[in-house]
Amino acid sequence: MAKGHKDKVAVITGAANGLGQAFAKRLAEDGVHVACVDIADASATAKMVEAAGRKAVAVKCDVGSEESVKTMAVEVGKTFDRVDIVINTAGIFPQTNLDTLDFATWRKIISTNLDGTFLVSMAFIPGMKKRGWGRIVSMSSSTLGSVVTGFVPYVASKAGIVGFTRAMATELGPHGITVNAIQPGLTKTPGAMGRPPRTGFKTMDEEFDAVAQMQAIKRAEVPDDLVGAASFLTSDDSAFITGQTINVDGGRVRS
Ligand SMILES: NC(=O)c1ccc[n+]([C@@H]2O[C@H](COP(=O)([O-])OP(=O)(O)OC[C@H]3O[C@@H](n4cnc5c(N)ncnc54)[C@H](O)[C@@H]3O)[C@@H](O)[C@H]2O)c1
């Protein structure tokens, strides 16, 4: 069990699938109760949390909508009297061709990935401040440090998360709240496996193999490779680490 985790309460967005689900399962094993938030049904993840002996609730929410996030916070409040940890995992990563990229697509990606991170964090910061303890961890992406085509709005949204993390850490440090980000590499989740391969690759398996060869550790990344970093950054052990972005990508990007 990670230090300081027992009976803490986490809101994890994007919890129906992939990384969010893996984080929920790991934090539950660490002793954390979890509100599993997603635009899709996250009740299977809530069951995993309960199977680990922790309390859970699944709440539907579009993180890019202020109204929806407000409603979600009220729903979470019906099960939990506080939220100590927020993990912003909800995100979309459609490939966008620059020649056909329109403003609506740009807005949709920025809204889900960056506005969502802002709105969900803001909903729970007042309570964290009151208790003098909080952890906010958000997903950036190794694409920020890589040469990839077709991801202009996505990479911009993930750079925004790094800026959000740094500036929020400064605001919240005096209140016992740390704010950090994780940069996953290309990871085998339903979202990544389900998208069309990038230009130059015939299949996602081919893309995963090529990316693995660019890493120091030459195998495809899986969600379990990221849960240790999420556990550490939401525990007492990381209390003096804030404003940081940690690459968890098999040693592909160095910064
Ligand atoms: N898998 C990768 O290769 C990879 C690499 C770098 C960063 N990331 C980031 O990690 C995060 C999780 O990615 P994943 O691979 O687990 O993706 P995924 O598609 O498997 O899961 C993402 C989840 O977010 C939810 N979601 C999407 N839009 C939402 C919205 N508006 N409101 C609430 N929930 C919403 C989806 O329903 C889904 O359950 C994303 O932010 C992604 O950008 C992933």
Side-chain angles (χ1 to χ4, degrees):
M1 185 180 293
K3 217 168 143 191
H5 265 162
K6 180 136 180 19
D7 286 330
K8 290 279 192 318
V9 177
V11 161
I12 301 181
T13 71
N17 288 292
L19 301 188
Q21 184 175 73
F23 295 152
K25 188 168 172 284
R26 170 56 188 264
L27 257 63
E29 289 162 3
D30 285 346
V32 177
H33 309 291
V34 185
C36 306
V37 172
D38 204 294
I39 202 164
D41 178 16
S43 52
T45 307
K47 286 202 177 80
M48 288 178 183
V49 171
E50 285 164 357
R54 302 286 95 190
K55 261 190 245 155
V57 61
V59 182
K60 275 203 181 179
C61 168
D62 174 357
V63 297
S65 151
E66 188 176 14
E67 227 18 71
S68 184
V69 170
K70 273 191 189 149
T71 309
M72 176 272 286
V74 171
E75 281 304 306
V76 170
K78 290 178 185 168
T79 304
F80 297 116
D81 62 2
R82 60 174 212 283
V83 171
D84 310 291
I85 296 166
V86 168
I87 306 188
N88 293 299
T89 324
I92 52 172
F93 32 89
Q95 199 164 358
T96 48
N97 181 320
L98 190 59
D99 294 333
T100 54
L101 175 62
D102 55 26
F103 185 57
T105 306
W106 164 273
R107 278 298 319 143
K108 172 78 183 158
I109 297 168
I110 298 288
S111 154
T112 306
N113 297 0
L114 185 55
D115 295 356
T117 296
F118 167 76
L119 290 170
V120 175
S121 303
M122 290 295 279
F124 299 105
I125 285 169
M128 292 179 185
K129 271 187 172 176
K130 221 180 281 169
R131 289 179 298 277
W133 197 99
R135 296 286 180 269
I136 298 171
V137 177
S138 309
M139 291 311 113
S140 181
S141 165
S142 67
T143 52
L144 191 52
S146 316
V147 180
V148 290
T149 54
F151 284 102
V152 168
Y154 178 71
V155 175
S157 74
K158 295 302 181 176
I161 286 175
V162 173
F164 167 86
T165 296
R166 291 178 183 178
M168 269 296 192
T170 309
E171 299 280 347
L172 299 176
H175 302 280
I177 304 168
T178 66
V179 189
N180 291 291
I182 293 174
Q183 288 195 164
L186 180 64
T187 308
K188 290 201 163 181
T189 63
M193 299 296 285
R195 74 161 166 75
R198 265 174 28 223
T199 315
F201 300 105
K202 286 196 200 74
T203 63
M204 276 313 293
D205 281 342
E206 208 180 276
E207 187 176 331
F208 268 100
D209 287 345
V211 170
Q213 291 315 307
M214 291 188 270
Q215 298 165 186
I217 301 167
K218 299 195 185 304
R219 65 160 174 80
E221 186 164 0
V222 294
D224 272 355
D225 290 318
L226 288 140
V227 298
S231 172
F232 172 64
L233 289 174
T234 55
S235 74
D236 274 342
D237 287 328
S238 61
F240 209 57
I241 299 173
T242 194
Q244 306 303 313
T245 300
I246 298 186
N247 293 309
V248 184
D249 63 357
R252 178 170 162 218
V253 173
R254 316 292 167 91
S255 58

